[in-house]
Amino acid sequence: MNPEIEFREGLDELASHYLEVLKLLGEDPDREGLQKTPMRVAKAMQVLTRGYSQDPHKVLTDALFAEKYNQMVIVKDIDVFSLCEHHMLPFYGKAHVAYIPNGYITGLSKIARVVDIYSHRLQVQERLTQQIKDCIQQTLKPLGVMVIIEAKHMCMQMRGVEKQNAITTTSDFSGAFNQAKTREEFMNLLRGESKRI
Protein backbone atom coordinates (compact mmCIF):
# COMPACT_ATOMS: atom_id res chain seq x y z
CA MET A 1 0.00 0.00 0.00
CA ASN A 2 1.30 3.43 -0.90
CA PRO A 3 0.09 5.72 1.93
CA GLU A 4 0.49 8.77 -0.32
CA ILE A 5 -2.17 7.47 -2.75
CA GLU A 6 -4.76 5.48 -0.80
CA PHE A 7 -6.68 7.79 1.50
CA ARG A 8 -9.40 6.87 3.94
CA GLU A 9 -13.02 7.97 4.06
CA GLY A 10 -13.60 11.45 5.49
CA LEU A 11 -10.77 13.20 3.66
CA ASP A 12 -12.93 16.05 2.32
CA GLU A 13 -14.56 16.62 5.70
CA LEU A 14 -11.16 16.68 7.37
CA ALA A 15 -9.96 19.28 4.85
CA SER A 16 -13.00 21.46 5.54
CA HIS A 17 -12.13 21.47 9.24
CA TYR A 18 -8.58 22.58 8.47
CA LEU A 19 -10.04 25.41 6.37
CA GLU A 20 -11.86 26.58 9.49
CA VAL A 21 -8.69 26.21 11.56
CA LEU A 22 -6.87 28.55 9.18
CA LYS A 23 -9.61 31.14 9.62
CA LEU A 24 -9.54 30.79 13.41
CA LEU A 25 -5.78 31.35 13.35
CA GLY A 26 -6.37 34.68 11.61
CA GLU A 27 -5.24 33.55 8.16
CA ASP A 28 -6.88 34.12 4.78
CA PRO A 29 -7.40 30.63 3.31
CA ASP A 30 -8.06 32.19 -0.10
CA ARG A 31 -4.57 33.59 -0.51
CA GLU A 32 -2.43 31.77 -3.04
CA GLY A 33 -0.10 29.95 -0.63
CA LEU A 34 -2.97 28.56 1.46
CA GLN A 35 -5.58 27.61 -1.14
CA LYS A 36 -4.54 23.94 -1.22
CA THR A 37 -3.30 23.76 2.37
CA PRO A 38 -6.47 22.29 3.96
CA MET A 39 -6.41 19.29 1.62
CA ARG A 40 -2.64 18.90 1.91
CA VAL A 41 -2.89 18.83 5.70
CA ALA A 42 -5.85 16.42 5.60
CA LYS A 43 -3.86 14.03 3.40
CA ALA A 44 -0.78 14.39 5.60
CA MET A 45 -2.80 13.61 8.73
CA GLN A 46 -4.28 10.51 7.13
CA VAL A 47 -0.78 9.31 6.23
CA LEU A 48 0.53 10.09 9.73
CA THR A 49 -2.36 8.16 11.31
CA ARG A 50 -2.56 5.28 8.84
CA GLY A 51 -1.91 2.83 11.67
CA TYR A 52 -5.59 2.97 12.67
CA SER A 53 -6.54 1.03 9.54
CA GLN A 54 -3.78 -1.59 9.81
CA ASP A 55 -3.65 -4.80 11.87
CA PRO A 56 -0.22 -5.38 13.47
CA HIS A 57 -1.15 -8.92 14.60
CA LYS A 58 -1.90 -9.92 10.99
CA VAL A 59 1.44 -8.50 9.86
CA LEU A 60 3.23 -10.91 12.21
CA THR A 61 1.10 -13.97 11.38
CA ASP A 62 1.45 -13.41 7.63
CA ALA A 63 5.15 -14.28 7.96
CA LEU A 64 5.14 -16.88 10.73
CA PHE A 65 7.60 -19.78 10.40
CA ALA A 66 8.21 -22.84 12.57
CA GLU A 67 11.82 -22.74 13.75
CA LYS A 68 13.70 -24.36 16.66
CA TYR A 69 15.89 -21.29 17.23
CA ASN A 70 15.47 -20.16 20.84
CA GLN A 71 18.08 -17.45 21.33
CA MET A 72 17.56 -13.69 21.34
CA VAL A 73 16.47 -12.00 18.10
CA ILE A 74 17.08 -8.23 18.08
CA VAL A 75 15.94 -5.63 15.59
CA LYS A 76 17.44 -2.31 16.67
CA ASP A 77 17.56 1.27 15.47
CA ILE A 78 14.06 1.12 13.96
CA ASP A 79 13.08 4.66 13.00
CA VAL A 80 10.04 5.91 14.90
CA PHE A 81 7.90 8.88 13.87
CA SER A 82 4.68 9.51 15.76
CA LEU A 83 2.31 12.25 16.89
CA CYS A 84 1.93 13.08 20.57
CA GLU A 85 -1.77 12.90 21.40
CA HIS A 86 -1.54 15.83 23.81
CA HIS A 87 -0.43 18.49 21.30
CA MET A 88 -0.46 16.56 17.99
CA LEU A 89 3.19 17.47 17.50
CA PRO A 90 5.74 14.89 16.31
CA PHE A 91 8.04 12.79 18.43
CA TYR A 92 10.77 10.80 16.75
CA GLY A 93 13.64 8.48 17.55
CA LYS A 94 14.61 4.82 17.57
CA ALA A 95 12.97 1.61 18.75
CA HIS A 96 14.92 -1.48 19.76
CA VAL A 97 12.99 -4.77 19.91
CA ALA A 98 14.12 -8.19 21.10
CA TYR A 99 12.27 -11.47 21.42
CA ILE A 100 13.21 -15.04 22.26
CA PRO A 101 11.34 -17.47 19.95
CA ASN A 102 9.35 -20.36 21.32
CA GLY A 103 8.95 -22.56 18.25
CA TYR A 104 8.07 -19.76 15.80
CA ILE A 105 9.84 -16.80 14.27
CA THR A 106 8.51 -13.99 12.09
CA GLY A 107 10.08 -12.07 9.22
CA LEU A 108 12.50 -9.47 10.55
CA SER A 109 10.85 -6.66 8.61
CA LYS A 110 7.56 -7.51 10.32
CA ILE A 111 8.94 -6.35 13.67
CA ALA A 112 9.66 -2.95 12.11
CA ARG A 113 6.16 -2.93 10.56
CA VAL A 114 4.58 -3.46 14.00
CA VAL A 115 6.52 -0.46 15.28
CA ASP A 116 5.39 1.53 12.24
CA ILE A 117 1.70 0.65 12.63
CA TYR A 118 1.45 1.59 16.30
CA SER A 119 3.54 4.74 15.84
CA HIS A 120 1.22 5.94 13.05
CA ARG A 121 -1.56 6.63 15.56
CA LEU A 122 -1.96 9.42 18.10
CA GLN A 123 0.33 8.22 20.88
CA VAL A 124 2.23 8.69 24.07
CA GLN A 125 5.65 7.05 24.10
CA GLU A 126 4.85 4.95 27.17
CA ARG A 127 1.78 3.34 25.56
CA LEU A 128 3.54 2.89 22.22
CA THR A 129 6.29 0.91 23.96
CA GLN A 130 3.76 -1.31 25.71
CA GLN A 131 1.61 -1.89 22.62
CA ILE A 132 4.58 -3.11 20.58
CA LYS A 133 5.61 -5.50 23.36
CA ASP A 134 2.04 -6.78 23.89
CA CYS A 135 1.44 -7.37 20.17
CA ILE A 136 4.58 -9.46 19.75
CA GLN A 137 3.97 -11.37 22.99
CA GLN A 138 0.32 -12.15 22.20
CA THR A 139 0.88 -13.05 18.56
CA LEU A 140 4.17 -14.98 18.53
CA LYS A 141 3.91 -16.30 22.12
CA PRO A 142 7.71 -16.15 22.51
CA LEU A 143 9.66 -16.88 25.68
CA GLY A 144 9.94 -13.13 26.18
CA VAL A 145 9.88 -9.70 24.54
CA MET A 146 11.66 -6.44 25.34
CA VAL A 147 11.12 -3.04 23.74
CA ILE A 148 13.09 0.17 24.29
CA ILE A 149 12.24 3.48 22.63
CA GLU A 150 14.46 6.57 22.71
CA ALA A 151 12.76 9.69 21.35
CA LYS A 152 12.78 13.46 21.16
CA HIS A 153 9.45 15.25 21.51
CA MET A 154 8.68 18.39 19.53
CA CYS A 155 6.16 19.39 22.21
CA MET A 156 9.17 19.78 24.54
CA GLN A 157 11.44 21.30 21.87
CA MET A 158 9.14 23.88 20.23
CA ARG A 159 6.87 24.85 23.13
CA GLY A 160 6.63 24.48 26.89
CA VAL A 161 10.07 24.00 28.41
CA GLU A 162 11.79 24.31 24.99
CA LYS A 163 14.53 21.77 25.77
CA GLN A 164 15.91 20.73 22.38
CA ASN A 165 18.28 18.00 23.55
CA ALA A 166 16.08 16.10 26.01
CA ILE A 167 15.68 12.42 25.11
CA THR A 168 12.93 10.28 26.63
CA THR A 169 13.63 6.56 27.09
CA THR A 170 10.89 4.01 27.79
CA SER A 171 11.05 0.24 28.13
CA ASP A 172 8.74 -2.70 28.64
CA PHE A 173 9.44 -6.42 28.84
CA SER A 174 7.89 -9.80 29.48
CA GLY A 175 8.77 -13.45 30.11
CA ALA A 176 12.48 -14.26 30.08
CA PHE A 177 13.32 -10.55 30.13
CA ASN A 178 12.04 -10.40 33.70
CA GLN A 179 15.44 -11.87 34.55
CA ALA A 180 18.05 -9.15 35.02
CA LYS A 181 20.70 -11.28 33.25
CA THR A 182 18.61 -11.47 30.06
CA ARG A 183 17.87 -7.75 30.09
CA GLU A 184 21.57 -7.06 30.63
CA GLU A 185 22.47 -9.21 27.60
CA PHE A 186 20.03 -7.19 25.48
CA MET A 187 21.44 -3.89 26.76
CA ASN A 188 25.02 -4.99 26.12
CA LEU A 189 24.16 -5.93 22.53
CA LEU A 190 22.47 -2.56 22.02
CA ARG A 191 25.43 -0.63 23.40
CA GLY A 192 27.76 -2.43 21.03
CA GLU A 193 26.72 -0.65 17.82
CA SER A 194 23.52 1.30 18.51
CA LYS A 195 23.61 4.89 17.21
CA ARG A 196 22.31 7.93 19.04
CA ILE A 197 19.33 9.85 17.64
Side-chain angles (χ1 to χ4, degrees), residues 63-79:
L64 197 61
F65 309 102
E67 192 63 53
K68 293 182 180 179
Y69 184 83
N70 62 357
Q71 299 301 311
M72 200 177 299
V73 176
I74 300 173
V75 183
K76 63 182 181 177
D77 292 329
I78 303 167
D79 290 321

Side-chain angles (χ1 to χ4, degrees), residues 44-67:
M45 290 303 293
Q46 282 207 354
V47 170
L48 295 173
T49 60
R50 67 182 180 259
Y52 288 119
S53 60
Q54 298 172 333
D55 183 353
H57 297 276
K58 186 176 186 305
V59 165
L60 291 176
T61 57
D62 280 351
L64 197 61
F65 309 102
E67 192 63 53

Side-chain angles (χ1 to χ4, degrees), residues 108-120:
L108 297 175
S109 68
K110 305 309 179 185
I111 300 295
R113 289 273 293 124
V114 168
V115 172
D116 187 64
I117 289 170
Y118 281 117
S119 65
H120 281 80

Side-chain angles (χ1 to χ4, degrees), residues 1-7:
M1 176 182 121
N2 183 340
E4 294 292 340
I5 295 173
E6 297 182 21
F7 295 104

Side-chain angles (χ1 to χ4, degrees), residues 123-138:
Q123 280 289 8
V124 295
Q125 185 175 331
E126 297 88 341
R127 184 173 64 238
L128 174 60
T129 307
Q130 185 175 37
Q131 286 177 330
I132 295 165
K133 184 265 297 180
D134 287 345
C135 177
I136 295 168
Q137 184 64 53
Q138 293 164 11

